[in-house]
Amino acid sequence: MPFFRGRRLRRTPTLRQLVQETRLCPLDLVQPYFVTEADPAAQVPIASMPGQFQLGLDRLLRHLEPAVDAGLAAIILFGIPQAKDTSGSGAYAENGIVQQAIRRIKERWPQLVVIADTCLCEYTNHGHCGLVLPSGEVANDPTLALLARTAVSQARAGADVIAPSDMMDGRVAAIRSALDEAGFSHIPILSYAVKYASTFYGPFREAAESAPQFGDRTSYQMDPANKREALREAAADIAEGADILMVKPALPYLDILSALRERFDLPLAAYQVSGEYSQIKAASQLGWMDETRVALESLTAIKRAGADLIFTYFAADFIQRGLIA
Ligand code: PBG
């Protein structure tokens, strides 16, 4: 009885490439940037995310130049405002740091897809993603109007895609109707539909200075133990008008990504979050794993599981170095 000789197609590099099922290209990737209002020339290294910075506006444009030239096609912006308050007013200020950044970037690179992260946590002094009641509870419905206002101000500044990451119920519907009313019916919503309450966000909270000052996010972000609930969250966001769905984090949640891929026809995004990035960086700094190879393997796995778009802190660097071409 002849047995299966899988090695026949692994014999030479070209043969292997010919039968390769999943390939990464620059158009798969979205690079996140942290833009700080403090000083236009700032470049503050983020200790827990080697190679990533809080960038002032001028400095951000300087970073973008070679990345866009090399083929980076999409970015997502997170703002670090100079002042924070209870209602996160910096998120929806017409001249907020992200609104300024979007205007400057779109003026220079009209073709670059600029995604605006829509959330309040970087702008609230308590660090939560919504308004906090005297009881300490994060209020759902009163937060919706502020998120909608944030989305409209980002669209007005020129954002190509609105990406709510707050996990309030009903925010996609609220944002969709506010955008439509303001004349932005053509602007898509990429919903962080399936966002888990994950410890993998730790380094991001240092980067964005957005750690909750009390409690945690478990009353609005999802329990990592739940898979069926992910399908309900996704279905709800589709019904509310989402155009793209996101799963976050990525690598520890490939089963979720794959389940969404089977069930829904919308484009899917996955966010390889800060902690996933930092793990790879730390292990490679210790000489325990090869950074480039383990990162490419992770990104390939995320795409193979069903992601059309991958948000990753490796995007600009890998595209510039020709590692993803
Ligand atoms: C804002 C937001 C977070 C991330 C993206 N948008 C942080 C959080 O929910 O605490 C995490 C991204 C990352 O870890 O890279 N709500």
Side-chain angles (χ1 to χ4, degrees):
M1 187 60 183
F3 46 83
F4 170 62
R5 289 196 182 272
R7 293 185 57 189
R8 280 185 198 125
L9 296 178
R10 296 178 204 136
R11 199 170 49 83
T12 74
T14 313
L15 261 175
R16 290 196 290 273
Q17 279 170 1
L18 283 172
V19 299
Q20 189 169 61
E21 298 176 30
T22 307
R23 288 194 186 96
L24 294 166
C25 75
L27 288 168
D28 297 326
L29 307 180
V30 179
Q31 170 74 39
Y33 286 103
F34 301 100
V35 54
T36 176
E37 195 170 18
D39 167 12
Q43 173 165 320
V44 184
I46 299 160
S48 56
M49 299 177 72
Q52 305 301 311
F53 305 91
Q54 295 180 347
L55 296 170
L57 201 35
D58 293 342
R59 196 62 80 122
L60 171 58
L61 267 77
R62 295 237 301 268
H63 273 251
L64 276 170
E65 183 94 56
V68 175
D69 281 351
L72 179 70
I75 65 170
I76 183 164
L77 295 175
F78 296 97
I80 301 150
Q82 216 145 20
K84 302 184 187 230
D85 56 28
T86 53
S87 59
S89 63
Y92 41 88
E94 285 308 318
N95 213 24
I97 182 59
V98 160
Q99 287 79 358
Q100 290 181 47
I102 296 168
R103 283 193 195 93
R104 287 274 298 277
I105 294 167
K106 290 300 291 185
E107 203 175 291
R108 178 84 169 273
W109 295 284
Q111 81 290 358
L112 181 69
V113 171
V114 177
I115 304 172
D117 181 87
T118 303
C119 195
L120 302 183
C121 65
E122 298 120 59
Y123 307 90
T124 51
N125 49 18
H126 44 72
H128 279 288
C129 302
L131 291 169
V132 174
L133 299 172
S135 63
E137 213 177 302
V138 175
N140 195 87
D141 297 14
T143 300
L144 299 179
L146 300 184
L147 293 167
R149 208 168 144 187
T150 303
V152 169
S153 75
Q154 292 167 333
R156 204 174 280 135
D160 296 289
V161 179
I162 298 299
S165 67
D166 53 283
M167 286 300 275
M168 297 301 118
D169 295 327
R171 94 287 199 168
V172 173
I175 289 172
R176 185 69 273 161
S177 71
L179 286 173
D180 292 354
E181 234 165 78
F184 297 106
S185 57
H186 56 292
I187 296 298
I189 296 175
L190 184 162
S191 172
Y192 288 63
V194 181
K195 180 173 178 180
Y196 287 92
S198 173
T199 306
F200 284 97
Y201 307 151
F204 174 95
R205 294 180 188 167
E206 180 205 327
E209 300 176 6
S210 65
Q213 297 305 298
F214 63 90
D216 57 31
R217 303 209 202 290
T218 49
S219 81
Y220 43 106
Q221 298 179 348
M222 286 178 56
D223 182 340
N226 295 354
K227 178 170 179 177
R228 293 187 300 266
E229 188 187 357
L231 301 173
R232 294 204 299 276
E233 282 286 359
D237 282 12
I238 294 170
E240 290 180 31
D243 300 282
I244 302 176
L245 301 175
M246 166 117 80
V247 173
K248 182 181 170 202
L251 203 64
Y253 295 83
L254 292 188
D255 58 327
I256 309 297
L257 193 56
S258 160
L260 258 69
R261 176 74 299 159
E262 301 258 301
R263 181 85 62 109
F264 304 108
D265 293 331
L266 271 69
L268 291 182
Y271 201 135
Q272 183 188 50
V273 299
S274 54
E276 297 179 68
Y277 174 84
S278 302
Q279 281 183 324
I280 293 174
K281 284 282 178 181
S284 79
Q285 283 185 357
L286 287 165
W288 291 352
M289 286 200 292
D290 180 89
E291 176 187 325
T292 303
R293 294 171 66 147
V294 76
L296 288 172
E297 181 178 332
S298 302
L299 294 170
T300 302
I302 294 165
K303 184 169 181 184
R304 189 195 62 226
D308 300 294
L309 270 178
I310 306 172
F311 289 58
T312 170
Y313 299 96
F314 290 109
D317 181 40
F318 279 19
I319 291 170
Q320 264 170 256
R321 288 161 60 203
L323 295 168
I324 296 177

